[in-house]
mmCIF file of all heavy atoms in Angstrom:
data_model
loop_
_atom_site.group_PDB
_atom_site.id
_atom_site.type_symbol
_atom_site.label_atom_id
_atom_site.label_comp_id
_atom_site.label_asym_id
_atom_site.label_seq_id
_atom_site.Cartn_x
_atom_site.Cartn_y
_atom_site.Cartn_z
ATOM 1 N N SER H 859 -37.959 20.113 40.219
ATOM 2 C CA SER H 859 -38.495 19.656 41.442
ATOM 3 C C SER H 859 -38.090 20.534 42.633
ATOM 4 O O SER H 859 -36.848 20.814 42.714
ATOM 5 C CB SER H 859 -38.193 18.128 41.753
ATOM 6 O OG SER H 859 -38.790 17.312 40.802
ATOM 7 N N ASP H 860 -39.022 20.937 43.463
ATOM 8 C CA ASP H 860 -38.658 21.754 44.624
ATOM 9 C C ASP H 860 -38.272 20.846 45.777
ATOM 10 O O ASP H 860 -39.050 20.082 46.251
ATOM 11 C CB ASP H 860 -39.902 22.621 44.938
ATOM 12 C CG ASP H 860 -39.658 23.492 46.143
ATOM 13 O OD1 ASP H 860 -38.549 23.471 46.739
ATOM 14 O OD2 ASP H 860 -40.539 24.387 46.435
ATOM 15 N N GLN H 861 -37.062 20.863 46.198
ATOM 16 C CA GLN H 861 -36.503 20.014 47.242
ATOM 17 C C GLN H 861 -36.718 20.659 48.616
ATOM 18 O O GLN H 861 -36.474 19.977 49.648
ATOM 19 C CB GLN H 861 -35.001 19.811 47.087
ATOM 20 C CG GLN H 861 -34.620 19.145 45.719
ATOM 21 C CD GLN H 861 -35.250 17.763 45.518
ATOM 22 O OE1 GLN H 861 -36.250 17.672 44.785
ATOM 23 N NE2 GLN H 861 -34.720 16.773 46.154
ATOM 24 N N GLY H 862 -37.161 21.933 48.605
ATOM 25 C CA GLY H 862 -37.399 22.606 49.826
ATOM 26 C C GLY H 862 -36.200 23.024 50.633
ATOM 27 O O GLY H 862 -35.144 23.239 50.057
ATOM 28 N N THR H 863 -36.305 23.010 51.967
ATOM 29 C CA THR H 863 -35.209 23.330 52.854
ATOM 30 C C THR H 863 -35.280 22.450 54.062
ATOM 31 O O THR H 863 -36.328 21.925 54.391
ATOM 32 C CB THR H 863 -35.224 24.844 53.271
ATOM 33 O OG1 THR H 863 -36.413 25.071 54.017
ATOM 34 C CG2 THR H 863 -35.192 25.774 52.070
ATOM 35 N N PRO H 864 -34.196 22.380 54.827
ATOM 36 C CA PRO H 864 -34.305 21.720 56.125
ATOM 37 C C PRO H 864 -35.277 22.553 57.021
ATOM 38 O O PRO H 864 -35.361 23.803 56.811
ATOM 39 C CB PRO H 864 -32.832 21.851 56.706
ATOM 40 C CG PRO H 864 -32.007 22.108 55.523
ATOM 41 C CD PRO H 864 -32.816 22.800 54.590
ATOM 42 N N ALA H 865 -35.916 21.913 57.921
ATOM 43 C CA ALA H 865 -36.972 22.570 58.723
ATOM 44 C C ALA H 865 -36.485 23.811 59.456
ATOM 45 O O ALA H 865 -35.462 23.805 60.180
ATOM 46 C CB ALA H 865 -37.498 21.504 59.792
ATOM 47 N N GLY H 866 -37.101 24.924 59.148
ATOM 48 C CA GLY H 866 -36.829 26.219 59.816
ATOM 49 C C GLY H 866 -35.615 26.899 59.280
ATOM 50 O O GLY H 866 -35.124 27.934 59.897
ATOM 51 N N ARG H 867 -34.976 26.431 58.211
ATOM 52 C CA ARG H 867 -33.661 26.931 57.765
ATOM 53 C C ARG H 867 -33.836 27.348 56.257
ATOM 54 O O ARG H 867 -34.805 27.053 55.604
ATOM 55 C CB ARG H 867 -32.620 25.874 57.833
ATOM 56 C CG ARG H 867 -32.370 25.373 59.265
ATOM 57 C CD ARG H 867 -31.223 26.043 59.981
ATOM 58 N NE ARG H 867 -31.364 27.468 60.188
ATOM 59 C CZ ARG H 867 -31.756 28.013 61.281
ATOM 60 N NH1 ARG H 867 -32.161 27.314 62.368
ATOM 61 N NH2 ARG H 867 -31.829 29.355 61.390
ATOM 62 N N THR H 868 -32.820 28.145 55.824
ATOM 63 C CA THR H 868 -32.700 28.403 54.343
ATOM 64 C C THR H 868 -31.309 28.007 53.866
ATOM 65 O O THR H 868 -30.418 27.875 54.641
ATOM 66 C CB THR H 868 -32.894 29.899 54.085
ATOM 67 O OG1 THR H 868 -31.862 30.598 54.852
ATOM 68 C CG2 THR H 868 -34.251 30.346 54.476
ATOM 69 N N VAL H 869 -31.217 27.791 52.558
ATOM 70 C CA VAL H 869 -29.934 27.309 51.954
ATOM 71 C C VAL H 869 -29.068 28.551 51.585
ATOM 72 O O VAL H 869 -29.606 29.481 50.888
ATOM 73 C CB VAL H 869 -30.268 26.424 50.713
ATOM 74 C CG1 VAL H 869 -28.973 26.081 49.962
ATOM 75 C CG2 VAL H 869 -30.989 25.174 51.136
ATOM 76 N N ILE H 870 -27.862 28.557 51.940
ATOM 77 C CA ILE H 870 -26.989 29.769 51.598
ATOM 78 C C ILE H 870 -25.754 29.444 50.808
ATOM 79 O O ILE H 870 -25.394 30.274 50.022
ATOM 80 C CB ILE H 870 -26.586 30.540 52.889
ATOM 81 C CG1 ILE H 870 -25.775 29.686 53.860
ATOM 82 C CG2 ILE H 870 -27.805 31.148 53.595
ATOM 83 C CD1 ILE H 870 -25.119 30.431 54.994
ATOM 84 N N GLU H 871 -25.181 28.185 50.982
ATOM 85 C CA GLU H 871 -23.999 27.922 50.231
ATOM 86 C C GLU H 871 -23.956 26.488 49.750
ATOM 87 O O GLU H 871 -24.607 25.622 50.370
ATOM 88 C CB GLU H 871 -22.710 28.088 51.172
ATOM 89 C CG GLU H 871 -22.468 29.560 51.584
ATOM 90 C CD GLU H 871 -21.830 30.397 50.530
ATOM 91 O OE1 GLU H 871 -21.409 29.819 49.472
ATOM 92 O OE2 GLU H 871 -21.792 31.663 50.665
ATOM 93 N N LYS H 872 -23.147 26.231 48.750
ATOM 94 C CA LYS H 872 -23.007 24.848 48.240
ATOM 95 C C LYS H 872 -21.831 24.159 48.882
ATOM 96 O O LYS H 872 -20.908 24.794 49.302
ATOM 97 C CB LYS H 872 -22.788 24.871 46.712
ATOM 98 C CG LYS H 872 -21.491 25.317 46.277
ATOM 99 C CD LYS H 872 -21.318 25.247 44.720
ATOM 100 C CE LYS H 872 -20.731 23.921 44.303
ATOM 101 N NZ LYS H 872 -20.414 23.889 42.823
#
Side-chain angles (χ1 to χ4, degrees):
S859 295
D860 183 353
Q861 304 299 100
T863 64
R867 302 265 58 103
T868 57
V869 175
I870 60 169
E871 295 285 348
K872 72 178 271 188

